[in-house]
Amino acid sequence: MQVELDRRRPGQSRITTPRKESDTCKILSGVGQGSTLGTPIAVSVPNTDQRGNDYSEMALAYRPSHADATYDFKYGVRAVEGGGRSSARETIGRVAAGAVAKKLLKIQSATEVLAYVSRVHGVELPDDVVDHEKLTIEQIESNIVRCPDPVIAEEMIKAIDMVRLRGDSVGGVITCIARNVPRGLGSPVFDKLEAELAKGLMSLPATKGFEIGSGFSGSKMTGSEHNDEFYIDDSGNVRTRTNRSGGIQGGISNGETIVMRVAFKPTSTITTLQKTVTREGHETEFRARGRHDPCVVPRAVPMVEAMVALVLADQLLQHHAQCQLLRFDTNLPPANGEKGSENVTLEEAATRR
């Protein structure tokens, strides 16, 4: 849990907010002698480097493209010091819980979730550069921008530095993969797996777009170009020769690697002079103070991983509750990573014992 929070914390490098927070977590309940107890896990992470006065202007005028105005429109009251629930500070809870979800997935199904920065502003990592089957956390963490290609990473860092020095910001894209996902996760129609993943990821601050598999580029293809043909591999598993579906078909995982991309907007709070309005409805000019990320994507990598892990963990629990109690066709070839001999009902298992 602390490792994941360290990846998210402020003050990691010159391309993130200069605010210094150790984000040291203290587990208050739910864990004993290194194991979960089955009770809720409560975690405390103190905020030690807050500067409420940096947000004094925010009490009078709305920050452009921030949640200040909409929170006021809806509730008539808002947290001025730091932004409250619209602050990315709330993602600490997601990352802490995601660490538990990652461990559950690894133990139960050997599922691994990895994310990396694939675009910063106009600097983009080509699709064919990263081998998703061999990608490691060490490659991702080898530089401050969390791009697994060192050459492209340097270009991304330069792009962030340029806007940082002039008080501006840029956005980017994070690519996330989930390997060894059991087939069968997700449900038809309203609870499709990609819909649940999209909801989870789009609930993160500053997100503006979600793609899975071929994404929008798939709309330019014909069916014969886009379809993922099936085959039986050497181990007798049903596989697809390509993965334009992104590991999900009909809202249900097919056992292939799930590939997603999430777009993040430029950070709203910048020190450049902007036009806005006051709470009283008067037009004015506004220059934000405080310490903010010139680009959110490097710190958002563990947030994306956490949300994907939480969704997959939920889906794994639902799948066991819904499908492991019901008889299904045990003659089907197992999916990648599954053992066919274990695809039996509880009644059959009891009979064998």
Side-chain angles (χ1 to χ4, degrees):
M1 188 178 291
Q2 189 60 61
V3 168
E4 295 297 333
L5 289 173
D6 286 345
R7 298 173 69 207
R8 194 220 72 97
R9 68 176 175 82
Q12 297 179 31
S13 68
R14 70 177 188 273
I15 62 171
T16 65
T17 170
R19 187 166 56 85
K20 296 294 183 182
E21 293 283 357
S22 65
D23 280 355
T24 302
C25 65
K26 181 179 180 181
I27 298 178
L28 304 179
S29 67
V31 174
Q33 298 181 351
S35 298
T36 56
L37 302 175
T39 51
I41 300 174
V43 182
S44 173
V45 183
N47 188 4
T48 59
D49 189 23
Q50 71 274 20
R51 295 181 188 175
N53 291 334
D54 284 348
Y55 300 90
S56 57
E57 293 90 346
M58 180 178 142
L60 304 175
Y62 299 129
R63 290 175 293 177
S65 286
H66 209 281
D68 302 347
T70 51
Y71 274 41
D72 229 1
F73 298 160
K74 184 174 179 67
Y75 301 110
V77 65
R78 58 201 167 90
V80 174
E81 295 84 359
R85 297 186 74 182
S86 64
S87 170
R89 184 75 180 162
E90 61 89 0
T91 59
I92 284 179
R94 302 171 187 244
V95 174
V100 180
K102 280 185 175 183
K103 196 155 193 175
L104 170 67
L105 291 168
K106 184 177 181 179
I107 292 172
Q108 294 298 321
S109 56
T111 300
E112 186 177 19
V113 179
L114 292 171
Y116 60 91
V117 176
S118 53
R119 192 174 76 204
V120 167
H121 198 39
V123 182
E124 187 165 9
L125 182 67
D127 290 338
D128 57 353
V129 170
V130 179
D131 185 344
H132 287 162
E133 300 309 310
K134 297 180 180 179
L135 179 66
T136 65
I137 186 68
E138 288 77 19
Q139 289 176 299
I140 296 168
E141 295 294 324
S142 64
N143 55 74
I144 59 176
V145 78
R146 293 197 167 99
C147 173
D149 183 89
V151 176
I152 301 296
E154 283 301 315
E155 295 181 25
M156 291 178 174
I157 293 169
K158 290 178 182 177
I160 297 173
D161 273 334
M162 286 180 63
V163 296
R164 176 179 63 87
L165 294 173
R166 64 173 186 256
D168 211 337
S169 64
V170 289
V173 174
I174 290 176
T175 297
C176 184
I177 64 168
R179 295 191 294 230
N180 297 320
V181 177
R183 68 180 186 183
L185 302 190
S187 301
V189 192
F190 297 112
D191 297 319
K192 292 181 177 179
L193 182 56
E194 65 265 48
E196 296 298 309
L197 288 166
K199 180 180 179 181
L201 289 171
M202 291 298 289
S203 73
L204 286 168
T207 51
K208 284 298 177 184
F210 172 83
E211 287 186 332
I212 188 160
S214 61
F216 283 95
S217 66
S219 64
K220 302 176 184 178
M221 301 179 184
T222 63
S224 58
E225 293 171 326
H226 191 273
N227 285 352
D228 297 317
E229 295 183 342
F230 290 108
Y231 75 102
I232 303 296
D233 68 11
D234 295 338
S235 300
N237 300 317
V238 177
R239 302 292 305 277
T240 60
R241 298 188 185 280
T242 53
N243 192 25
R244 299 183 187 96
S245 299
I248 301 174
Q249 293 168 327
I252 297 173
S253 60
N254 63 6
E256 301 296 332
T257 298
I258 297 177
V259 183
M260 301 150 280
R261 287 170 296 279
V262 191
F264 287 81
K265 69 175 182 177
T267 312
S268 297
T269 307
I270 57 177
T271 57
T272 302
L273 188 66
Q274 302 175 86
K275 296 184 182 299
T276 185
V277 298
T278 66
R279 293 189 76 192
E280 289 73 29
H282 303 298
E283 293 187 356
T284 186
E285 292 183 331
F286 176 86
R287 188 189 302 273
R289 291 189 297 163
R291 299 157 294 171
H292 307 282
D293 292 271
C295 181
V296 300
V297 289
R299 288 181 58 212
V301 166
M303 303 175 197
V304 168
E305 291 179 358
M307 290 310 300
V308 170
L310 287 166
V311 170
L312 293 179
D314 279 347
Q315 293 297 318
L316 186 63
L317 292 170
Q318 291 180 34
H319 179 71
H320 275 271
Q322 183 182 31
C323 298
Q324 298 302 96
L325 294 175
L326 304 174
R327 183 182 299 276
F328 59 97
D329 191 350
T330 57
N331 294 320
L332 282 173
N336 186 28
E338 292 180 347
K339 297 179 181 179
S341 62
E342 294 181 356
N343 290 342
V344 296
T345 64
L346 293 181
E347 180 183 355
E348 290 170 330
T351 302
R352 291 184 182 182
R353 286 197 296 269

